[in-house]
Amino acid sequence: MNKKLEHKLKDNSIKPTAMRLLVLKFLTEQNKAVSLQDIELAFERADKSTLFRTLKTFESSKIIHSIEDGTGHLKYALCLEGCNCSPIDLHYHFHCNVCKETFCLTELNVPTIELPKNFEMQQANMVIKGICGTCK
Amino acid sequence: MNKKLEHKLKDNSIKPTAMRLLVLKFLTEQNKAVSLQDIELAFERADKSTLFRTLKTFESSKIIHSIEDGTGHLKYALCLEGCNCSPIDLHYHFHCNVCKETFCLTELNVPTIELPKNFEMQQANMVIKGICGTCK
DNA sequence: TAAATTGATGCAAGTGAGTTGCAAAGTTTA
DNA sequence: TAAACTTTGCAACTCACTTGCATCAATTTA
Ligand SMILES: [Mn+2]
Ligand SMILES: [Mn+2]
Ligand SMILES: [Zn+2]
Ligand SMILES: [Zn+2]
C-alpha cells in the first residue's frame, strides 16, 4: 500500500516525504472531497501551510483536483487513474445541502456541451446541489 | 425603462429606492456576470455594504442569481423572465481564462443529470472554463 | 566525511472578499 | 406630528487562503 503511494508520488517527480505520504493516504481513504481544514483536523501536528502547499503540489501534478462547491472551502479529491483533468476527464460533483458533504460523481462524465461559436472549453467546475442519498 | 425596473422591484415587494434602481439598471445593461467589486467601481458614491445587501435582496427574490466561478469573486447576473432558479431554469456559465469574464450561457439549459439513487437536485453551479470567442 | 546545495517545513504575519453591528438618515403609519 | 419601520453608511470584524522567511532535512558535490 505505502509502496504504491510512494510510487504515485515518485512517478510525478514529487519527493515522497512522510507528510506527503500521510496526506495522500488520507485522501485515498475518503469517499468524499475534503477541505484544507478537514486535513488540518486529521493531522493536528502538521502546519496548515505545509498541508496547503502539499495540496497545491498534488493538484499541479494532477494527482488531485479541486472543487469550488460554493461553501467557501475549496475541496480536494483524488483524480482517477490516468486522469489528465482535461475536458474529457471531467465529472460532475454533488454538494449536499443537509450534510454539507461534497462528492465526486465519477460514474458520469461531463458530456460535450455546445458552446457559442469560437468558445473553447479547457476545464470546468460542475457542482450540483441538493440532498444526498444518506440525508434523503 | 425606469418604470419597468421599478415595477420589477415592486412586484417582488422590494422598495424601489434610488440605489436599488441604479443597481438593477446596471445589471440589466451588462452582458456578463458582475461582482460586488464591479458594482462598487460603477457607483463609487455608494457603500459596499449597501450594494452587498442590495444584491442579497435581489438574489433572494430571484431577480438575480449568483455564480461561483472560481475566481474568489462571486458573480451576479439577471435571471431570465419567469426564472424560479429551480433545476429546470438552470443554465451553464462560461468563465474565460484570458479576459476573466463570466457569461451566462442562457441558450442552453442544464439537462437532467442522472444522479445516484435517492439523490435530489435542487440547485447547481455549473461553470465551464476556457477561452471565449473574443479572446480566441 | 565535510561542505554546499536543494528542497521541505513551521511559524507568523498578511491579504482580501465577504459580512455584521450599530447609529444616522429616510420613509411610512397611526 | 410622533412613533415605528426600513434603508444606508461607516467601521470593524471574520475567515479562508496565501506568502516571506528562517530553520531543518535530505541529497549532491568536493
Ligand atoms: Mn471530482
Ligand atoms: Mn447565469
Ligand atoms: Zn447529505
Ligand atoms: Zn475572454
Side-chain angles (χ1 to χ4, degrees):
Chain A
M1 176 58 172
N2 254 23
K3 271 286 163 243
K4 212 168 176 179
L5 297 180
E6 208 174 313
H7 262 101
K8 193 163 188 166
L9 295 184
K10 281 182 177 165
D11 289 352
N12 285 282
S13 319
I14 298 169
K15 212 183 291 183
T17 64
M19 198 68 249
R20 285 169 174 170
L21 284 169
L22 283 170
V23 172
L24 183 56
K25 182 158 174 285
F26 179 77
L27 286 162
T28 306
E29 289 161 352
Q30 308 304 311
N31 69 332
K32 56 180 174 66
V34 296
S35 68
L36 174 56
Q37 281 191 18
D38 293 333
I39 299 176
E40 263 189 280
L41 283 175
F43 302 103
E44 300 203 1
R45 311 294 304 275
D47 186 77
K48 182 171 47 165
S49 59
T50 303
L51 297 172
F52 169 76
R53 287 187 272 232
T54 297
L55 289 171
K56 290 304 167 202
T57 301
F58 287 1
E59 188 178 19
S60 60
S61 291
K62 289 164 185 168
I63 289 174
I64 63 176
H65 60 281
S66 60
I67 308 121
E68 282 267 348
D69 62 10
T71 59
H73 300 60
L74 195 60
K75 301 288 167 62
Y76 300 89
L78 277 192
C79 284
L80 294 183
E81 194 65 36
C83 171
N84 200 31
C85 291
S86 63
I88 206 171
D89 295 314
L90 296 174
H91 52 261
Y92 291 100
H93 295 95
F94 190 92
H95 176 74
C96 177
N97 290 323
V98 178
C99 64
K100 315 293 181 192
E101 306 278 11
T102 298
F103 308 98
C104 291
L105 302 181
T106 50
E107 304 298 309
L108 179 67
N109 274 57
V110 170
T112 304
I113 294 161
E114 201 174 325
L115 296 175
K117 199 165 146 49
N118 285 325
F119 279 52
E120 181 194 330
M121 173 170 176
Q122 293 175 333
Q123 313 96 32
N125 186 71
M126 304 290 201
V127 181
I128 299 164
K129 304 182 189 199
I131 305 180
C132 79
T134 308
C135 295
K136 191 57 175 286
Chain B
M1 175 58 175
N2 254 25
K3 271 287 163 239
K4 211 167 177 180
L5 298 179
E6 209 173 314
H7 264 102
K8 193 163 187 167
L9 295 184
K10 282 181 178 165
D11 289 352
N12 285 282
S13 319
I14 297 169
K15 214 182 292 183
T17 65
M19 197 69 249
R20 284 168 176 171
L21 284 169
L22 283 170
V23 172
L24 183 56
K25 180 157 176 286
F26 180 76
L27 286 163
T28 307
E29 289 161 350
Q30 308 304 311
N31 68 332
K32 56 181 173 71
V34 295
S35 67
L36 173 57
Q37 282 193 14
D38 292 333
I39 299 176
E40 265 187 277
L41 283 175
F43 302 103
E44 301 204 0
R45 311 293 304 277
D47 187 77
K48 180 171 54 163
S49 60
T50 302
L51 297 172
F52 169 75
R53 288 187 274 231
T54 297
L55 290 171
K56 290 304 168 202
T57 301
F58 287 0
E59 188 178 18
S60 60
S61 291
K62 289 164 187 167
I63 291 175
I64 61 175
H65 61 280
S66 61
I67 308 121
E68 282 266 350
D69 64 9
T71 59
H73 300 59
L74 194 59
K75 301 287 166 63
Y76 300 89
L78 276 192
C79 284
L80 293 184
E81 194 66 35
C83 171
N84 200 31
C85 291
S86 63
I88 206 171
D89 295 314
L90 296 172
H91 52 260
Y92 290 99
H93 295 94
F94 190 92
H95 176 74
C96 177
N97 290 323
V98 178
C99 64
K100 314 292 183 194
E101 307 279 11
T102 298
F103 308 97
C104 291
L105 303 181
T106 50
E107 303 299 309
L108 180 67
N109 273 58
V110 170
T112 304
I113 294 160
E114 201 174 326
L115 297 175
K117 200 166 147 45
N118 286 323
F119 278 53
E120 181 195 330
M121 174 170 175
Q122 292 175 335
Q123 312 97 31
N125 187 73
M126 304 288 200
V127 181
I128 300 163
K129 305 184 187 197
I131 305 180
C132 81
T134 308
C135 294
K136 188 59 174 283

mmCIF file of all heavy atoms in Angstrom, chain B residues 96 98-100 103 131-132 134-135, ligand 4:
data_model
loop_
_atom_site.group_PDB
_atom_site.id
_atom_site.type_symbol
_atom_site.label_atom_id
_atom_site.label_comp_id
_atom_site.label_asym_id
_atom_site.label_seq_id
_atom_site.Cartn_x
_atom_site.Cartn_y
_atom_site.Cartn_z
ATOM 1 N N CYS B 96 -13.954 32.892 -18.895
ATOM 2 C CA CYS B 96 -12.808 32.956 -19.815
ATOM 3 C C CYS B 96 -11.511 33.103 -19.034
ATOM 4 O O CYS B 96 -11.361 34.018 -18.219
ATOM 5 C CB CYS B 96 -12.977 34.120 -20.780
ATOM 6 S SG CYS B 96 -11.551 34.307 -21.885
ATOM 7 N N VAL B 98 -8.771 34.017 -20.169
ATOM 8 C CA VAL B 98 -7.969 35.126 -20.684
ATOM 9 C C VAL B 98 -8.518 36.465 -20.182
ATOM 10 O O VAL B 98 -7.853 37.181 -19.441
ATOM 11 C CB VAL B 98 -7.903 35.105 -22.224
ATOM 12 C CG1 VAL B 98 -7.103 36.291 -22.744
ATOM 13 C CG2 VAL B 98 -7.292 33.798 -22.710
ATOM 14 N N CYS B 99 -9.742 36.785 -20.563
ATOM 15 C CA CYS B 99 -10.291 38.090 -20.165
ATOM 16 C C CYS B 99 -10.925 38.046 -18.784
ATOM 17 O O CYS B 99 -11.290 39.089 -18.232
ATOM 18 C CB CYS B 99 -11.282 38.609 -21.199
ATOM 19 S SG CYS B 99 -12.765 37.608 -21.397
ATOM 20 N N LYS B 100 -11.044 36.861 -18.220
ATOM 21 C CA LYS B 100 -11.554 36.676 -16.849
ATOM 22 C C LYS B 100 -13.024 37.051 -16.688
ATOM 23 O O LYS B 100 -13.487 37.262 -15.572
ATOM 24 C CB LYS B 100 -10.726 37.474 -15.825
ATOM 25 C CG LYS B 100 -9.229 37.372 -15.982
ATOM 26 C CD LYS B 100 -8.720 35.983 -15.663
ATOM 27 C CE LYS B 100 -7.198 35.933 -15.763
ATOM 28 N NZ LYS B 100 -6.706 34.550 -15.796
ATOM 29 N N PHE B 103 -19.779 34.568 -18.265
ATOM 30 C CA PHE B 103 -21.007 34.761 -19.035
ATOM 31 C C PHE B 103 -22.050 33.703 -18.685
ATOM 32 O O PHE B 103 -21.703 32.567 -18.379
ATOM 33 C CB PHE B 103 -20.708 34.664 -20.527
ATOM 34 C CG PHE B 103 -19.586 35.543 -20.985
ATOM 35 C CD1 PHE B 103 -18.296 35.032 -21.125
ATOM 36 C CD2 PHE B 103 -19.794 36.889 -21.261
ATOM 37 C CE1 PHE B 103 -17.241 35.851 -21.548
ATOM 38 C CE2 PHE B 103 -18.760 37.706 -21.676
ATOM 39 C CZ PHE B 103 -17.481 37.189 -21.821
ATOM 40 N N ILE B 131 -11.583 29.552 -23.177
ATOM 41 C CA ILE B 131 -11.315 30.797 -23.884
ATOM 42 C C ILE B 131 -12.566 31.222 -24.630
ATOM 43 O O ILE B 131 -13.163 30.425 -25.355
ATOM 44 C CB ILE B 131 -10.142 30.634 -24.871
ATOM 45 C CG1 ILE B 131 -8.908 30.104 -24.113
ATOM 46 C CG2 ILE B 131 -9.809 31.954 -25.540
ATOM 47 C CD1 ILE B 131 -7.701 29.909 -24.996
ATOM 48 N N CYS B 132 -12.955 32.458 -24.425
ATOM 49 C CA CYS B 132 -14.188 32.938 -25.047
ATOM 50 C C CYS B 132 -13.967 33.360 -26.494
ATOM 51 O O CYS B 132 -12.828 33.469 -26.954
ATOM 52 C CB CYS B 132 -14.768 34.097 -24.239
ATOM 53 S SG CYS B 132 -14.003 35.691 -24.550
ATOM 54 N N THR B 134 -14.217 36.126 -28.031
ATOM 55 C CA THR B 134 -13.473 37.364 -28.240
ATOM 56 C C THR B 134 -11.966 37.164 -28.066
ATOM 57 O O THR B 134 -11.158 37.763 -28.771
ATOM 58 C CB THR B 134 -13.962 38.433 -27.241
ATOM 59 O OG1 THR B 134 -15.378 38.532 -27.331
ATOM 60 C CG2 THR B 134 -13.337 39.781 -27.532
ATOM 61 N N CYS B 135 -11.619 36.331 -27.130
ATOM 62 C CA CYS B 135 -10.198 36.130 -26.810
ATOM 63 C C CYS B 135 -9.556 35.062 -27.684
ATOM 64 O O CYS B 135 -8.332 34.915 -27.681
ATOM 65 C CB CYS B 135 -10.037 35.754 -25.345
ATOM 66 S SG CYS B 135 -10.516 37.091 -24.245
HETATM 67 ZN ZN ZN E 4 -12.294 36.131 -22.911
#
